[in-house]
């Protein structure tokens, strides 16, 4: 597993529900994009800074979080200053800086697990409408998180082997064996998931005749769907 | 979506993430490249349009839930709010376009030259044209710089991405020789 940026804590920001924080961030972001008065945008900045301080994380962590985005914002501001005019540069820099502060505050105070749960809940309406298969989407996400360190290890092993053969820093020599190993592994992963009977049957969907999907077998119940091996 | 497709999408999402941790390789003409967009190209070329577009969607969700999965350990909602977010969200249509073109040219009945040129064209159209259109469009919108100026500012990265497109095409053909690709 890889560690998320957000951590658990006891501050007010930590205790707010993740969905509420995301909705609040979306509203703030929308407002910031429609405001183009430098004075108003400058007024938003202290609130953003206060939100960052309210995360209770040490200043070094906060600085680390904003360092790289701040450079990007500074470059964008410089481009605006040189290519457009000073007022546009000021508006763009203030707007992006305020947005960065609020987004960092939410990210630092919400764990990846909370956000993943919120993501799953947000998918539920689409799942009911038959547009997205939420259990499969959640499984894909979980598998991807698990596979990141695994693929990292494979890359390290391949690079080491290629370096011994004098092929260091050759992207083709890295990618070809990596992708072949990935394709082989996908077969094994599929066998392991099928052996565990995923996805679980979903009687709720076929039982409700009023739903638009009513009566039709859900994709997860199609015979042959789970057996796609060569 | 079979369970094998779920595994492939998750694995290619992990490949895109893991390639971001590989140190940038300096090219002959001095443009440094990170391999993360190579992962996006490979997802499209190897998995085809639909599954190829799903892999970067998974990465974008991982970014959103606060995991440091982008090159340089970036992640979290600040990325969505940043001026270069178009280059992240643009991965989805670019992998789709690359996969769609690859599905049509990289077929056994075509000659080796047609297949290779088709794959290079798929990667260039997908990642250079579509991705840059999304990235530059967003940058121009956020900064008010204007489309043409944002466009010329991004031209410096084109040589590196064209080189990556050629690499992606070579890799796809070599992988295709070792493993029957079903897009």
């Amino acid at each position: 597993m890889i560690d998320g940026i957000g951590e658990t804590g006891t501050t007010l920001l930590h205790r707010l529900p993740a969905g509420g924080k995301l909705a609040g961030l979306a509203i703030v972001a929308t407002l910031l994009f429609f405001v183009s008065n430098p004075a108003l945008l400058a007024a938003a900045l202290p609130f953003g800074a206060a939100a960052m301080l309210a995360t209770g994380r040490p200043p070094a962590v906060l600085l680390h979080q904003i360092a790289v985005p701040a450079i990007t914002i500074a470059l964008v501001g410089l481009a605006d200053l040189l290519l457009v005019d000073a007022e546009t540069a000021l508006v763009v820099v203030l707007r992006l800086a305020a947005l960065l502060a609020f987004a960092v505050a939410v990210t630092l105070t919400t764990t990846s697990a909370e956000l993943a749960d919120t993501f799953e809940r947000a998918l539920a309406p689409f799942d009911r409408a038959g547009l997205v298969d939420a259990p499969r989407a959640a499984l894909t996400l979980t598998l991807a998180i698990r596979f990141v360190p695994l693929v990292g290890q494979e890359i390290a092993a391949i690079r080491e082997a290629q370096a011994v053969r004098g092929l260091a820093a050759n992207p083709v020599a890295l990618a070809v064996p990596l992708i072949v190993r990935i394709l082989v592994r996908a077969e094994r992963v599929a066998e392991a998931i099928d052996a565990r009977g995923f996805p679980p049957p979903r009687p709720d969907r076929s039982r409700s005749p009023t739903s638009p999907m009513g009566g039709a077998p859900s994709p997860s119940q199609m015979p042959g769907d789970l057996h796609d091996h060569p | 979506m079979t369970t094998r497709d779920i595994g492939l999408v998750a694995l290619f999402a992990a490949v895109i993430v893991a390639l971001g941790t590989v140190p940038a390789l300096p090219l002959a003409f001095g443009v440094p490249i990170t391999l993360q967009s190579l992962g996006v190209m490979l997802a499209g070329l190897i998995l085809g349009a639909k599954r190829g577009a799903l892999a970067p969607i998974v990465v974008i969700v991982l970014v959103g839930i606060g995991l440091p999965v982008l090159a340089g350990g970036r992640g979290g909602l600040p990325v969505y709010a940043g001026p270069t977010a178009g280059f992240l969200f643009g991965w989805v249509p670019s992998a789709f376009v690359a996969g769609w073109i690859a599905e049509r040219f990289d077929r056994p009945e075509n000659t080796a030259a047609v297949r290779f040129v088709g794959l290079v064209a798929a990667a260039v159209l997908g990642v250079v044209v579509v991705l840059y259109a999304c990235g530059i469009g967003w940058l121009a919108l956020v900064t008010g710089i204007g489309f043409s100026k944002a466009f010329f500012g991004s031209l410096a990265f084109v040589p590196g991405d064209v080189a990556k497109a050629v690499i992606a095409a070579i890799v796809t053909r070599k992988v295709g020789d070792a493993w029957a690709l079903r897009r």
Side-chain angles (χ1 to χ4, degrees), chain A residues 59-76:
Chain A
V61 172
L62 300 179
L63 279 177
H64 179 75
Q65 281 302 317
I66 60 170
V68 174
I71 293 170
T72 314
I73 293 173
L75 286 175
V76 164

Side-chain angles (χ1 to χ4, degrees), chain B residues 1-177:
Chain B
M1 290 284 287
T2 64
T3 36
R4 190 166 53 88
D5 293 333
I6 292 177
L8 281 172
V9 168
L11 279 162
F12 269 85
V15 167
I16 295 171
V17 172
L19 284 178
T21 64
V22 174
L25 308 168
L27 283 184
F29 36 90
V31 181
I33 58 172
T34 78
L35 289 179
Q36 207 143 35
S37 61
L38 178 67
V40 177
M41 292 182 193
L42 287 172
L45 295 189
I46 293 192
L47 298 182
K50 190 188 164 195
R51 292 174 302 171
L54 284 171
I57 289 177
V58 172
V59 178
I60 290 168
V61 174
L62 294 181
V63 169
I65 64 172
L67 297 175
V69 293
L70 295 182
R74 289 178 306 131
L77 296 168
V79 179
Y80 285 6
T84 54
F87 287 101
L88 174 67
F89 291 104
W91 280 355
V92 179
S94 68
F96 186 89
V97 168
W100 192 86
I101 299 171
E103 284 169 18
R104 272 142 195 86
F105 282 95
D106 190 22
R107 293 166 173 276
E109 65 265 27
N110 290 338
T111 63
V114 168
R115 294 175 76 169
F116 180 71
V117 172
L119 285 172
V120 173
V124 168
L125 277 173
V127 173
V128 183
V129 176
V130 176
L131 180 63
Y132 278 56
C134 298
I136 293 168
W138 180 247
L139 191 63
L141 189 75
V142 170
T143 60
I145 288 178
F147 216 77
S148 56
K149 284 169 181 163
F151 173 76
F152 287 113
S154 305
L155 282 184
F157 299 98
V158 169
D161 281 329
V162 171
K164 273 184 273 185
V166 175
I167 291 169
I170 295 172
V171 169
T172 304
R173 287 296 301 121
K174 284 185 176 238
V175 170
D177 288 340

